[in-house]
Amino acid sequence: MAGAIASRMSFSSLKRKQPKTFTVRIVTMDAEMEFNCEVKKQILDEKIYCPPEASVLLASYAVQAKYGDYDPSVHKRGFLAQEELLPKRVINLYQMTPEMWEERITAWYAEHRGRARDEAEMEYLKIAQDLEMYGVNYFAIRNKKGTELLLGVDALGLHIYDPENRLTPKISFPWNEIRNISYSDKEFTIKPLDKKIDVFKFNSSKLRVNKLILQLCIGNHDLFMRRRKADSLEVQQMKAQAREEKARKQMERQRLAREKQMREEAERTRDELERRLLQMKEEATMANEALMRSEETADLLAEKAQITEEEAKLLAQKAAEAEQEMQRIKATAIRTEEEKRVMEQKVLEAEVLALKMAEESERRAKEADQLKQDLQEAREAERRAKQKLQEITKPTYPPINPLPAPLPPDMSSFSLIGDSLSFDFKDTDMKRLSMEIEKEKVEYMEKSKHLQEQLNELKTEIEALKLKERETALDILHNENADRGGTSSKHNTIKKPQAQGRRPICI
């Protein structure tokens, strides 16, 4: 009996026993990575239900954290073939090949360019924490009527589930609406803050289960209250250091991005200059070949012109000899008529021959003139080719752009009146804290809206390939919640006891 009395503990008594100050534990990078791996493992093992479109988005952030920025030359088709990125339930639900899943994951992976590894892991956790089953510890219980139920304990409060539906709680008790939690033997009692609402009691299978439930309730309630406290000076200094470190990392990433861009531009300029140099070499080679052909043509034309000129001289010499022979024949005419007739016939033939030889000599002379003209044109073409070769081989240097100059890199009191807590704050500090919270809330809502649009787009794209007969009970419940606009999620049923008025709780 003494053990049962000792187990009845209220949150107010717990707060009085704890010291006024607390030490904030700094989570190391290794611990954060281990936690992220544990969440990923629970999603892949289907201990945490994840919709198909969210699974693809989470997979893209996991790939970004492991491989860094997407590079088409490195991350070629099939580089995710050995990676386990999606739950088997999602893969079996659609008529899609591994290549099709890889294509969709890679499409979102390419959009995460520029995110560091810690940023990608943080985005992974931000998306995972919005899943219905994230952070919920389930325990089998029975109510007064003996009905089997599930008790869910998480950072928001206590939730009662149907054993067949772990996504949507039947009723929820937020931590700020619970006055007392206690147990006696196997009976567990939840007393709401509103005394007009009936006390909720249930039985667990073993006493040690009640102890574990109470410890989880104490820990989650403690964290719930700490999140609503004002930050201590130590925490404020840590946050300021974190902001400075974040700004420093951002400047470092920007500097690296600028250097990478400048290096890429230099490589592109080098490639362009190499291409132009190769092109100029090819043009110079072609010009040299054209020049050699011109020189060979000029030599051939000069030789042919010389031969034609010699032939013309030879024909002229033969024509002169024929003329002399004709004069000699005329001078030595035979006295007799017969000899005279023969001589006239020979003279006539000699005149015809002389005429033909004169015409042939004239034609040869014209051909020699034409060859001389062709020789002059060939020499002119040779001169132009040499001039073009000199222009091509003349060194040209592109203007060098100068490198851009590197860029230059209180909360005192608050008052809150309650059963067991009291703090004092100034109005100005409270307004500043509210403005910071509102600013972070607006930024988170904008990111969530963009993320939801991406998820809806992917869901619409793959909906046609879904196999209805392979849907699990959680898939059907999730789709029903999505069709109703998510009005029955654990986040929206958090105020359900108040909305029901003053009626007693009945499950």
Side-chain angles (χ1 to χ4, degrees), residues 456-467:
N456 292 335
E457 181 180 356
L458 177 63
K459 182 178 180 181
T460 304
E461 181 181 354
I462 65 176
E463 188 67 24
L465 302 174
K466 181 185 288 186
L467 298 174

Side-chain angles (χ1 to χ4, degrees), residues 243-268:
R243 286 193 296 268
E244 292 176 358
E245 182 67 17
K246 184 177 180 181
R248 187 188 65 78
K249 289 183 177 180
Q250 183 67 21
M251 292 179 63
E252 181 69 15
R253 283 195 294 269
Q254 291 177 357
R255 184 183 65 81
L256 292 176
R258 287 195 302 270
E259 292 180 355
K260 183 177 181 181
Q261 183 179 2
M262 292 170 60
R263 184 170 62 254
E264 290 175 352
E265 290 179 355
E267 290 177 354
R268 285 195 297 268

Side-chain angles (χ1 to χ4, degrees), residues 326 329-330 333-334 336-351:
M326 185 183 63
I329 291 172
K330 288 181 178 180
I334 306 173
T336 61
E337 192 65 26
E338 186 67 25
E339 289 178 348
K340 185 179 180 180
R341 184 172 53 80
V342 172
M343 289 298 297
E344 287 177 355
Q345 186 177 0
K346 288 183 178 181
V347 169
L348 182 60
E349 291 176 355
E351 288 178 352

Side-chain angles (χ1 to χ4, degrees), residues 229-243:
K229 280 184 178 181
D231 293 335
S232 64
L233 181 61
E234 182 182 1
V235 174
Q236 292 179 13
Q237 292 176 352
M238 292 174 63
K239 287 185 175 181
Q241 292 176 359
R243 286 193 296 268

Side-chain angles (χ1 to χ4, degrees), residues 205-449:
S205 59
K206 297 180 182 179
L207 178 62
R208 62 183 181 85
V209 174
N210 280 341
K211 293 181 179 180
L212 179 59
I213 293 174
L214 184 62
Q215 290 175 358
L216 285 174
C217 292
I218 292 173
N220 280 284
H221 182 267
D222 182 48
L223 293 176
F224 180 83
M225 298 305 297
R226 284 185 180 183
R227 289 196 298 269
R228 281 148 183 79
K229 280 184 178 181
D231 293 335
S232 64
L233 181 61
E234 182 182 1
V235 174
Q236 292 179 13
Q237 292 176 352
M238 292 174 63
K239 287 185 175 181
Q241 292 176 359
R243 286 193 296 268
E244 292 176 358
E245 182 67 17
K246 184 177 180 181
R248 187 188 65 78
K249 289 183 177 180
Q250 183 67 21
M251 292 179 63
E252 181 69 15
R253 283 195 294 269
Q254 291 177 357
R255 184 183 65 81
L256 292 176
R258 287 195 302 270
E259 292 180 355
K260 183 177 181 181
Q261 183 179 2
M262 292 170 60
R263 184 170 62 254
E264 290 175 352
E265 290 179 355
E267 290 177 354
R268 285 195 297 268
T269 304
R270 183 197 62 191
D271 294 340
E272 179 65 19
L273 290 175
E274 289 179 352
R275 186 187 64 79
R276 290 177 58 187
L277 178 60
L278 182 61
Q279 183 179 0
M280 292 174 64
K281 287 182 178 179
E282 292 177 354
E283 291 179 355
T285 303
M286 294 174 62
N288 284 328
E289 292 177 355
L291 179 60
M292 292 174 64
R293 288 195 299 269
S294 299
E295 291 177 351
E296 291 176 357
T297 304
D299 294 339
L300 291 175
L301 290 175
E303 185 178 355
K304 190 174 181 180
Q306 184 178 1
I307 293 172
T308 305
E309 186 176 358
E310 292 177 355
E311 290 179 352
K313 290 180 179 180
L314 182 60
L315 290 174
Q317 183 179 357
K318 289 182 178 181
E321 292 176 355
E323 184 67 24
Q324 290 177 2
E325 181 68 19
M326 185 183 63
Q327 294 296 332
R328 187 182 62 80
I329 291 172
K330 288 181 178 180
T332 58
I334 306 173
R335 293 179 180 180
T336 61
E337 192 65 26
E338 186 67 25
E339 289 178 348
K340 185 179 180 180
R341 184 172 53 80
V342 172
M343 289 298 297
E344 287 177 355
Q345 186 177 0
K346 288 183 178 181
V347 169
L348 182 60
E349 291 176 355
E351 288 178 352
V352 172
L353 180 60
L355 183 59
K356 289 182 179 180
M357 295 183 70
E359 291 177 352
E360 181 68 17
S361 176
E362 184 178 356
R363 185 180 66 80
R364 293 289 183 174
K366 289 181 179 180
E367 185 175 355
D369 294 337
Q370 182 64 35
L371 289 174
K372 289 180 179 180
Q373 184 178 357
D374 294 343
L375 177 61
Q376 292 178 357
E377 291 177 355
R379 289 176 177 172
E380 181 64 23
E382 178 183 358
R383 185 185 63 78
R384 289 196 300 268
K386 288 182 178 179
Q387 184 177 359
K388 183 178 180 181
L389 179 61
Q390 292 176 356
E391 292 176 355
I392 293 174
T393 56
K394 184 177 180 181
T396 56
Y397 301 96
I400 300 175
N401 295 325
L403 294 176
L407 297 177
D410 317 25
M411 197 171 286
S412 58
S413 64
F414 175 73
S415 69
L416 174 64
I417 301 175
D419 292 342
S420 60
L421 302 173
S422 64
F423 304 96
D424 293 327
F425 293 90
K426 287 184 179 180
D427 291 342
T428 57
D429 297 332
M430 195 63 187
K431 289 180 181 179
R432 180 177 59 80
L433 181 60
S434 299
M435 290 177 66
E436 292 180 358
I437 294 175
E438 286 295 324
K439 182 178 179 181
E440 293 179 356
K441 183 177 179 182
V442 170
E443 294 177 353
Y444 179 75
M445 291 298 292
E446 291 178 355
K447 292 182 179 178
S448 299
K449 183 177 179 182

